[in-house]
């Protein structure tokens, strides 16, 4: 039996141990907390992979990322991560780690091994890399690694369960009115949180628009982060039966013509035929270019429209077949958590729903 199969068995055993002893500890928990509670997604998967692999085979070197590393104990870490950890995290842990499909394709995992000299951004990224390089070699036995694995799984189970509890609530049907939904959205948009609130409000409206279409996916991408998704086109993409049907660029700050053209060109390159560029309350254009740029793209058989959020909402909300405020709030909170939006955004929108919709939890 190969490392991949053995690792899968070790992971299942450790998961059962974590379920039966949810308060398990280990001698490296401060280090594990530091990496998992941090913001760098790839390093979380690297840590998980190293601990699982070491718990499975004591001879492996937890610093290694690729099997052709010249360090003793080199192994195929990417296969363990992509074939064992990723599906387990998706299906059992429900994306508690972040929900990345192929984390070892990201730059920090594309070196032969972890080394403090690897090219990473200074500051936080370098600090996490340093912590991994200093602490992983200290996990020297399979027994030690297994205890770390159980502790890590206990932590991820708690994160999973907290995410689940976030979306378990009730909103009375009497709140299901266009005016009530608009009241919530307008109140929410009084603050920006770097455009995250605008993105969630528009995404929530689209979710209600496609609520009765099981083949539709409203895909939200992290604000101000490029390349976060393998098929990311714009800030907010809608797919039906796997086909891109709507692209939306959302801007709640000042922008220039180059920003609009860059966003539109990305959609064209992805095979899209239209895009909405939606201004938030703080979205101010630099210059008088709207007619020119819209006509330019129209001449290329691409429909581009730059419009304010007020116009977008005034047209879409009254035409929704179902106003379901409970579903709206559940979607935006779940999306915010899974897309790694700011925790204060989640708290803000949750408390606002309690105030406006009367959201209650058991």
């Amino acid at each position: 039996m190969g490392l991949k199969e053995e690792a899968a068995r070790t992971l299942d055993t450790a998961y059962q141990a974590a379920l039966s002893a949810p308060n398990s500890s280990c001698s490296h928990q401060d280090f594990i907390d530091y990496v998992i509670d941090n913001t760098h997604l790839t390093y979380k998967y690297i840590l998980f992979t190293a601990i699982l692999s070491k718990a499975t085979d004591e001879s492996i070197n937890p610093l290694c990322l690729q099997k052709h590393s010249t360090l003793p104990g080199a192994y195929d870490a990417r296969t363990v991560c992509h074939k064992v950890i990723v599906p387990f995290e998706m299906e059992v842990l429900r994306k508690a780690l972040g929900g990345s499909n192929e984390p070892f394709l990201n730059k920090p995992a594309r070196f032969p091994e972890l080394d403090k000299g690897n090219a990473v951004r200074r500051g936080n990224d370098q600090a996490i890399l340093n912590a991994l390089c200093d602490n992983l070699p200290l996990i020297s036995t399979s027994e030690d690694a297994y205890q770390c694995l159980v502790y890590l799984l206990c932590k991820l189970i708690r994160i999973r369960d907290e995410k689940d509890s976030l979306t378990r609530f009730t909103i009375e049907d009497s709140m299901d009115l266009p005016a009530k939904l608009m009241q919530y959205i307008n109140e929410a948009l009084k603050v920006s949180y770097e455009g995250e609130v605008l993105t969630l409000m528009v995404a929530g409206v689209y979710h209600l628009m496609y609520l009765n279409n099981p083949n539709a996916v409203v895909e939200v991408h992290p604000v101000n982060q490029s390349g976060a998704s393998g098929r990311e086109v714009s800030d907010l993409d809608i797919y039906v039966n796997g086909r891109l049907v709507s692209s939306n660029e959302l801007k709640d700050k000042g922008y220039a013509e180059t920003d609009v053209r860059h966003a539109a060109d990305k959609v064209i390159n992805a095979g899209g035929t239209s895009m909405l560029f939606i201004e938030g309350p703080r979205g101010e254009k630099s210059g008088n270019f709207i007619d020119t740029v819209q006509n330019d793209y129209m001449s290329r058989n691409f429909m581009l429209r730059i419009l304010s959020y007020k116009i977008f909402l005034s047209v879409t909300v009254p035409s929704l077949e179902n106003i379901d405020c409970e579903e709206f709030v559940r979607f935006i909170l779940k999306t915010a958590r899974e897309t790694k939006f700011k925790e204060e955004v989640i708290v803000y929108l949750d408390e606002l729903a309690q105030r406006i919709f009367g959201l209650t939890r058991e």
Side-chain angles (χ1 to χ4, degrees):
M1 188 178 293
L3 177 60
K4 181 181 72 173
E5 292 76 19
E6 290 285 359
R9 290 178 58 180
T10 302
L11 183 55
D12 287 337
T13 302
Y15 177 72
Q16 295 304 318
L19 288 175
S20 61
N23 296 316
S24 295
S25 62
C26 72
S27 56
H28 304 278
Q29 60 192 53
D30 289 344
F31 160 57
I32 293 171
D33 288 345
Y34 173 69
V35 177
I36 298 300
D37 293 340
N38 222 299
T39 56
H40 201 297
L41 195 60
T42 304
Y43 283 136
K44 297 181 186 186
Y45 285 94
I46 288 174
L47 172 67
F48 197 162
T49 303
I51 289 174
L52 172 59
S53 300
K54 188 70 176 181
T56 304
D57 182 351
E58 190 169 288
S59 69
I60 74 105
N61 189 328
L63 292 177
C64 291
L65 300 172
Q66 299 175 7
K67 60 184 177 184
H68 62 258
S69 167
T70 57
L71 294 179
Y75 73 106
D76 186 3
R78 185 169 77 172
T79 294
V80 173
C81 183
H82 290 185
K83 300 299 183 182
V84 180
I85 290 175
V86 166
F88 186 88
E89 190 233 351
M90 292 284 187
E91 298 162 15
V92 179
L93 296 174
R94 294 196 285 279
K95 301 182 180 180
L97 205 60
S100 178
N101 288 320
E102 295 179 312
F104 267 60
L105 296 186
N106 296 328
K107 188 174 180 180
R110 293 170 68 180
F111 297 95
E113 63 271 329
L114 294 169
D115 185 277
K116 293 182 181 180
N118 289 352
V120 298
R121 286 176 293 187
R122 295 179 181 177
N124 189 56
D125 290 7
Q126 184 69 60
I128 303 171
L129 174 60
N130 291 348
L132 289 165
C133 291
D134 289 339
N135 288 278
L136 282 176
L138 301 180
I139 306 174
S140 57
T141 67
S142 287
E143 290 76 15
D144 196 10
Y146 183 79
Q147 291 303 314
C148 290
L149 179 61
V150 172
Y151 174 78
L152 172 58
L153 288 168
C154 288
K155 187 176 182 69
L156 295 179
I157 289 168
R158 285 194 295 272
I159 293 173
R160 177 196 67 188
D161 293 347
E162 287 170 5
K163 286 173 61 178
D164 288 346
S165 66
L166 180 73
T167 55
R168 286 200 298 269
F169 56 80
T170 302
I171 292 176
E172 295 296 330
D173 292 346
S174 60
M175 295 292 109
D176 292 340
L177 300 169
K180 209 68 182 175
L181 179 60
M182 283 299 299
Q183 179 189 353
Y184 179 84
I185 293 173
N186 286 328
E187 187 70 23
L189 286 170
K190 288 183 177 179
V191 295
S192 175
Y193 284 109
E194 298 181 321
E196 291 186 357
V197 175
L198 176 64
T199 299
L200 291 169
M201 294 304 102
V202 175
V205 170
Y206 271 119
H207 177 66
L208 294 184
M209 186 184 301
Y210 288 94
L211 193 58
N212 294 326
N213 188 339
N215 298 316
V217 176
V218 178
E219 194 169 277
V220 177
H221 304 119
V223 177
N224 299 323
Q225 294 182 35
S226 61
S229 167
R231 64 175 183 178
E232 176 180 341
V233 178
S234 60
D235 292 333
L236 173 57
D237 302 318
I238 291 89
Y239 293 85
V240 176
N241 293 317
R243 182 175 67 87
L244 179 66
V245 298
S246 177
S247 295
N248 304 263
E249 194 73 10
L250 309 165
K251 195 69 69 174
D252 200 16
K253 61 181 181 180
Y255 67 94
E257 180 179 350
T258 52
D259 297 315
V260 178
R261 289 185 177 276
H262 176 70
D265 290 343
K266 282 180 64 179
V267 176
I268 291 173
N269 291 335
T273 57
S274 65
M275 186 189 81
L276 293 181
F277 191 99
I278 301 174
E279 299 175 341
R282 289 150 286 271
E284 296 184 2
K285 62 183 180 296
S286 175
N288 185 19
F289 56 81
I290 289 181
D291 288 342
T292 300
V293 73
Q294 287 183 162
N295 290 336
D296 180 24
Y297 279 92
M298 188 69 80
S299 70
R300 297 156 60 183
N301 294 320
F302 182 84
M303 185 174 178
L304 167 67
R305 284 295 177 267
I306 304 169
L307 70 162
S308 77
Y309 75 100
K310 290 182 179 179
I311 294 175
F312 172 81
L313 294 171
S314 296
V315 172
T316 53
V317 171
S319 62
L320 290 173
E321 181 181 358
N322 294 308
I323 300 290
D324 188 334
C325 293
E326 183 173 303
E327 183 62 30
F328 178 89
V329 174
R330 183 172 290 109
F331 176 80
I332 64 172
L333 294 181
K334 182 173 183 286
T335 298
R337 178 59 57 82
E338 292 185 348
T339 318
K340 299 297 181 184
F341 280 12
K342 297 178 185 63
E343 190 64 31
E344 53 263 44
V345 173
I346 297 172
V347 173
Y348 168 67
L349 294 176
D350 192 302
E351 292 178 347
L352 189 63
Q354 294 175 44
R355 177 159 61 87
I356 292 179
F357 293 137
L359 180 154
T360 57
R361 290 185 171 86
E362 293 182 0

